[in-house]
Structures are given as C-alpha cells and as structure tokens.
Amino acid sequence: RPAARPFAPDGGMRILTGLRASGDGALTGDIYNRENAKTYSVQLTMDGPQQMLVRPYVGIPLFGKTQLWHRVPAASAGAEARP
C-alpha cells in the first residue's frame, strides 16, 4: 500500500503510525519501510522491558516475519543524531 506521509512535523521520519491496542496485549497499526517506500500492517508486542517483537505483514500476521527490536540506552540515543 502507498506510504502515508512518513515525515513528522519536526523533520524526523515517522515509521509507526495508527497504533491501537488489540485484545491480546499487543498493538496493531502501520509501519513504513524506507527501503522500498511502502507501508505495511504491523503487530507490536513487548518482550520484556528492553525489547519488542515487531511483525510487519501483508493481509494477516501469519504472512509476516517477526523482528526483535532492542531499546537504545538513553545515553547513546542522542549521540546517533549528532553530526
């Protein structure tokens, strides 16, 4: 599906949009893939306090692939944005 305006008002890129709680404790919404400029459905589930399971998919979650995202420590998060 076509991308839904991935750029945020502050100049950053918005990759997760339309998130809403689902009955099983997960969040569902949309995720933007900047590599191919497409937007996919996504299911997000916390897997402990420092990591999240991210499952982008087309159609139903069964056809997706789960990725494990780790929280960036606060001390190093700002260092990545500096030139």
Side-chain angles (χ1 to χ4, degrees):
R1 98 180 95 157
R5 299 185 56 102
F7 295 100
D10 66 359
M13 183 173 283
R14 185 180 299 134
I15 61 168
L16 294 169
T17 58
L19 296 177
R20 56 203 170 279
S22 59
D24 56 0
L27 295 172
T28 57
D30 297 310
I31 188 167
Y32 176 73
N33 181 343
R34 66 186 180 108
E35 293 178 0
N36 64 7
K38 292 184 181 179
T39 301
Y40 300 93
S41 297
V42 69
Q43 183 177 43
L44 307 173
T45 308
M46 292 305 297
D47 187 34
Q50 301 296 320
Q51 54 192 28
M52 178 171 58
L53 298 171
V54 179
R55 186 170 187 85
Y57 60 92
V58 174
I60 59 174
L62 178 67
F63 298 122
K65 180 180 177 183
T66 301
Q67 301 173 355
L68 181 62
W69 287 11
H70 298 273
R71 183 184 303 260
V72 176
S76 64
E80 295 176 5
R82 294 186 194 135

